[in-house]
Structures are given as C-alpha cells and as structure tokens.
Amino acid sequence: MTHPHITFFKTPMAAPETRTLRRMRRLWMALCWSLALAVLLLPALKTLLGPWAALPALLLTVAAMLHGFVYFRAKARADDAFGREVQP
C-alpha cells in the first residue's frame, strides 16, 4: 500500500499546456519584456517624444495587466478542469 502523500506527489498539478495557452503565455512574457525595455529606454524616448515619453510604457503596462488577467484566468480554468479529470 502506498502512502497518500506519495500518491499526491505523483499526481500532476497543472494541466498540459495547449497551443492557445502557450501562445497567450508567450505574448504575456513579450509584453512584460517590452515594458522593461520601454522603461530602460525612457531617457531616449524622452528626447524623441518629449512629454509623451511615458506613453509607450503606460500602454504596455495596461496591455500586460489586461492580457495577464485573461491568461491567468484561462490557465486556472484549464488547471481546474484537469484536476477534476485526474481525481478519482
């Protein structure tokens, strides 16, 4: 007889990543990296755009937050459905 903790540790905790979830995750990561780049390039953007230099960072912040919200909800739904499927 196997200890219940051993059985629990052998059970996968996350759903396999679908093509859509992978694409959403990569887009969210690209938005985060683009935001970091926009913040690092803020002095250069200030010379190019003047008082509007923070606008790209603001837009990327909003886009990353909104897309992250959608992605993490979809990921949580997939994980919950997978967890219900795996449970005996």
Side-chain angles (χ1 to χ4, degrees):
M1 178 162 207
T2 308
H3 193 276
H5 286 118
I6 301 296
T7 305
F8 175 75
F9 290 138
K10 288 182 179 179
T11 305
M13 300 307 287
E17 191 173 49
T18 62
R19 183 177 299 160
T20 303
L21 283 175
R22 184 179 314 117
R23 191 176 311 124
M24 290 175 73
R25 177 179 52 85
R26 288 180 178 166
L27 177 60
W28 180 72
M29 289 171 44
L31 286 169
C32 291
W33 279 107
S34 299
L35 176 58
L37 186 63
V39 170
L40 288 174
L41 294 177
L42 198 55
L45 289 173
K46 189 157 177 88
T47 60
L48 289 173
L49 303 176
W52 297 97
L55 187 62
L58 175 66
L59 294 175
L60 286 167
T61 300
V62 171
M65 286 189 328
L66 290 175
H67 185 71
F69 179 74
V70 171
Y71 166 67
F72 287 114
R73 282 193 59 186
K75 177 69 173 147
R77 279 195 307 267
D79 289 344
D80 288 343
F82 182 73
R84 281 192 299 271
E85 200 174 275
V86 170
Q87 297 297 327

